[in-house]
Amino acid sequence: MGRPTMRLPVLLAMAYLAALPLHAQLLAGEVPPGAIAIEIDELIALPNAYTEDSVLLETDCDDSFDLSIALVHGMPALDLPNLVMLRTLDDDLELCRDAERPHYYAFGEPLACTGTFSWQSANVNTLGDHGGFGMIGPEVVDSQYIAIRQGALTGWILLSFDLMATVPTLHVHRALSLCMSTAVDGPGADRPVAIVPTVTHGGPVRIGVEGAHRMAVCDAAGRTVARYGPGVREIPAPAVAGVYVVRIEHADGTWSFGRFVRQ
């Protein structure tokens, strides 16, 4: 197979103050209050056999890539299938799947992972195939969702692909970030964060929260622009105007979020 090409990275923006009630069931395509679903809109089309291209996703705002979704154009006539593959780069990132394929959800369907499906951590996941020995599909997916989980946080990715076409295609439409509490189970980000002022013209910003273990400041695209250790209660305003999210990890592993605006 030829050397794969790589798409520009897609950074999933983080959200703030987005705690769902414990045990609430996230729906496919649902954007909880305060959350942000990013319009990724990355389309890959591979006219030539023995080629591969992929979309990189950063899902948890730690400035490192967490997964990639790749399209592979093989040669089905020679039993080399066309494939869509999801590769996880974080060991704690899980996919709702059975022994062979992920669960595909329609819009509005609860992201339950039950029956023959379970949360599984696998570095390589086949999302669909066409051609080759043992083909099980699906060959075509039209705007359906897969569910991902990291710890107690659940999110979704909306995608389409056509592996039967002369030119196979993959379209990654949207994704819900895991930089927030879309939790089905587990602790939520329910500790208040007092930020003064909430709008700064360049002066320092004071952070009032108890039990902070570490803190990060992220811009609206989810990029970390500053990091701080425990005990920091005042931070300088970012140099660039915009909306910023303060992400605080507590010693017990729970999270809090707040935001401010730099004008």
Side-chain angles (χ1 to χ4, degrees), residues 7-186:
R7 290 272 166 172
L8 291 176
V10 179
L11 296 177
L12 299 185
M14 75 178 296
Y16 67 95
L17 299 177
L20 292 181
L22 296 184
H23 309 293
Q25 183 68 71
L26 186 70
L27 306 180
E30 178 186 6
V31 182
I36 298 175
I38 299 304
E39 300 292 337
I40 299 171
D41 198 25
E42 285 284 334
L43 175 64
I44 297 173
L46 297 179
N48 300 318
Y50 310 115
T51 56
E52 177 178 339
D53 199 357
S54 61
V55 176
L56 282 167
L57 300 176
E58 197 276 302
T59 61
D60 58 5
C61 296
D62 63 356
D63 290 336
S64 62
F65 298 117
D66 302 299
L67 62 88
S68 70
I69 303 177
L71 173 66
V72 179
H73 186 170
M75 181 57 73
L78 300 178
D79 294 321
L80 295 175
N82 298 335
L83 298 167
V84 174
M85 309 288 292
L86 185 149
R87 299 181 176 98
T88 61
L89 308 177
D90 272 3
D91 292 337
D92 61 346
L93 192 64
E94 299 174 301
L95 189 70
C96 181
R97 53 167 294 163
D98 59 14
E100 296 175 322
R101 292 293 186 268
H103 191 309
Y104 282 98
Y105 301 85
F107 177 78
E109 185 179 354
L111 296 184
C113 195
T114 58
T116 59
F117 294 93
S118 63
W119 293 107
Q120 300 179 35
S121 178
N123 295 119
V124 179
N125 302 268
T126 300
L127 304 189
D129 62 352
H130 168 68
F133 295 106
M135 181 188 74
I136 63 173
E139 299 167 293
V140 178
V141 164
D142 185 8
S143 298
Q144 293 203 316
Y145 297 82
I146 58 175
I148 59 175
R149 186 175 76 169
Q150 192 169 35
L153 306 181
T154 305
W156 48 258
I157 300 171
L158 175 63
L159 52 80
S160 301
F161 56 79
D162 186 347
L163 300 177
M164 299 178 65
T166 303
V167 178
T169 58
L170 165 67
H171 194 175
V172 183
H173 303 283
R174 308 176 76 207
L176 182 67
S177 172
L178 295 178
C179 301
M180 48 172 286
S181 285
T182 55
V184 174
D185 297 293

